[in-house]
């Protein structure tokens, strides 16, 4: 099979296209013929060595993807062979991610993908959708699971609604019944956020606090935050008492200046989150709820749904990494060609 690998961390040039033997699934594992591989910031961060320590002599990158199970290991129902699936955390603690024609993962990390959902949808779930779920289910006064009606009466602010995680926050929050506000930097991103389903789109280069207060005079319940250092003053200006700021990134790297007194008065819950250490129960709940949202058709992708798709063939995976690292607007996908 063809696979992308790197042996040393560094820039995208360390990625190589190589031939490798077909992997065999072990006990409790499945082998998946990958159709589409999804690229996330954590993938280039791991490849570059800036955020993760390299654990294996040779690594095939990418956590997310979608394809078809073609073989199962001992203890896995043989009836799963031929099943369409989406993959999550494929390269987490393992050397074999989805940037290959075939990959092997634990069976519970290959989630059934309904026939009406494309492989593009499947490869766009994983990290973004599960992160969005976590961001929406950590509030003191909020639900631990998402389903239609779970967020009825709640107001969610999705910072950076044209981003990949922001897009998933909008879709999941709306599916669960929330009123969704999002902030963007300009008209094109506003169009994408509205297409994703945001009820109110506000340009943060103007007076976003006034705009948000116009929609939510008593404050927002949950902020899903992508740039805490830059946005914390705004978040505190619009958060309701006992509200939650769910932090999944600090884009731009601005220092976080924490006004302790202001947070004390608000009884703020400042929740940092990452999937790797969220715990198995939280991850399993997120997988179940995201799968239900997919079955309901609540997580579509494509420009018409607010998430343009940027495609690269397997032999241009390095260019896909460069696109994500440069801040491409939309979901970067690698089309994996099987013989």
């Amino acid at each position: 099979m063809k696979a992308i690998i790197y042996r040393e961390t560094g820039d995208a040039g360390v990625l190589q296209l190589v031939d490798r033997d077909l992997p065999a699934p072990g006990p409790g594992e499945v082998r998946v013929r990958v159709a589409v591989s999804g690229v996330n910031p954590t993938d280039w961060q791991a490849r570059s060595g800036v955020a993760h320590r390299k654990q294996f002599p040779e690594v095939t990158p990418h956590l997310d993807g979608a394809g078809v199970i073609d073989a199962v290991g001992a203890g896995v129902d043989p009836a799963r062979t031929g099943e369409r699936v989406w993959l999550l955390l494929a390269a987490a603690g393992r050397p074999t991610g989805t940037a290959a024609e075939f990959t092997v993962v634990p069976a519970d990390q290959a989630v059934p993908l309904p026939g009406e959902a494309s492989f593009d949808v499947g490869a766009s779930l994983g990290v973004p959708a599960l992160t969005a779920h976590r961001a929406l289910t950590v509030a003191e006064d909020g639900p631990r699971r998402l389903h239609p009606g779970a967020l009825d009466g709640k107001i969610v602010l999705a910072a950076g609604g044209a981003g990949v995680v922001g897009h998933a926050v909008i879709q999941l929050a709306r599916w669960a019944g929330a009123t969704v506000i999002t902030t963007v930097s300009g008209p094109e991103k506003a169009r994408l956020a509205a297409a994703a389903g945001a009820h109110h789109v506000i340009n943060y280069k103007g007076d976003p606090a006034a705009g948000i207060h116009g929609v939510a005079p008593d404050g927002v319940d949950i902020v899903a935050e992508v740039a805490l250092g830059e946005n914390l003053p705004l978040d505190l200006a619009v958060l309701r008492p006992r509200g939650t700021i769910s932090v999944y990134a600090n884009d731009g790297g601005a220092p976080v200046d924490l006004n302790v007194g202001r947070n004390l008065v608000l009884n703020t819950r400042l929740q940092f989150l990452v999937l790797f250490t969220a715990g198995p129960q939280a991850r399993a709940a997120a997988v179940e709820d995201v799968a239900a949202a997919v079955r309901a058709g609540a997580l579509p992708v494509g420009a018409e749904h607010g998430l343009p798709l940027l495609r690269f063939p397997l032999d241009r995976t390095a260019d896909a990494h460069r696109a994500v690292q440069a801040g491409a607007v939309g979901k970067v996908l690698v089309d994996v060609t099987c013989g």
Side-chain angles (χ1 to χ4, degrees):
M1 69 171 188
K2 300 291 185 184
I4 296 293
I5 61 103
Y6 63 91
R7 299 188 182 93
E8 303 293 337
T9 56
D11 64 22
V14 302
L15 297 173
Q16 305 174 51
L17 179 67
V18 299
D19 290 304
R20 288 292 178 265
D21 293 336
L22 204 63
E29 295 179 335
V30 297
R31 185 174 69 201
V32 176
R33 181 177 181 178
V34 180
V36 183
S37 179
V39 190
N40 297 295
T42 192
D43 295 316
W44 73 256
Q45 291 163 2
R47 181 219 73 225
S48 67
V50 299
H52 305 277
R53 181 178 60 85
K54 183 171 174 286
Q55 297 177 266
F56 305 98
E58 179 178 294
V59 175
T60 291
H62 300 179
L63 296 166
D64 298 341
V68 177
I69 294 175
D70 88 311
V72 302
V76 180
D77 185 353
R80 294 202 68 184
T81 303
E83 185 177 76
R84 302 170 78 252
V85 293
W86 57 277
L87 305 176
L88 60 125
L89 300 178
R94 300 170 66 89
T96 51
T98 66
E101 292 180 333
F102 292 85
T103 194
V104 169
V105 297
D108 62 355
Q109 291 173 219
V111 185
L113 182 68
E116 60 272 19
S118 68
F119 288 131
D120 291 349
V121 168
S124 302
L125 298 170
V127 170
L130 299 178
T131 298
H133 181 282
R134 179 74 173 152
L136 294 168
T137 55
V138 294
E140 179 180 3
D141 300 330
R144 291 294 176 264
R145 300 293 297 265
L146 295 183
H147 52 78
L151 291 174
D152 279 359
K154 302 293 186 181
I155 300 177
V156 171
L157 172 59
V164 179
V165 176
H167 176 266
V169 169
I170 291 170
Q171 290 184 321
L172 281 175
R174 178 148 187 167
W175 175 66
T179 296
V180 185
I181 307 169
T182 190
T183 52
V184 296
S185 61
E188 179 55 24
K189 290 185 176 180
R191 185 189 67 77
L192 294 174
H199 297 92
H200 306 278
V201 182
I202 294 170
N203 190 323
Y204 63 71
K205 293 183 177 180
D207 185 355
I212 294 167
H213 280 304
V215 175
D218 296 325
V220 303
D221 296 278
I222 301 170
V223 180
E225 185 55 75
V226 66
L228 183 65
E230 182 177 346
N231 293 338
L232 185 55
L234 171 63
D235 295 343
L236 295 178
V238 300
L239 194 70
R240 70 156 179 81
R242 299 184 310 283
T244 296
I245 304 172
S246 298
V247 184
Y248 62 88
N250 189 28
D251 284 1
V256 177
D257 183 9
L258 194 62
N259 183 324
V260 174
R262 178 64 174 150
N263 283 280
L264 288 173
V265 170
L266 284 171
N267 272 271
T268 308
R269 172 171 287 200
L270 193 62
Q271 175 76 53
F272 294 87
L273 55 98
V274 69
L275 294 178
F276 305 110
T277 54
Q281 290 182 327
R283 285 196 301 271
V287 168
E288 290 181 10
D289 295 350
V290 167
V294 173
R295 291 193 298 271
L299 293 169
V301 299
E304 69 276 23
H305 301 295
L307 190 69
L309 302 178
L310 292 77
R311 318 193 74 97
F312 296 84
L314 186 63
D315 62 3
R316 290 185 57 207
T317 297
D319 289 332
H321 277 227
R322 293 183 184 104
V324 175
Q325 192 166 354
V329 176
K331 181 64 182 180
V332 173
L333 300 175
V334 171
D335 291 310
V336 182
T337 303
C338 298

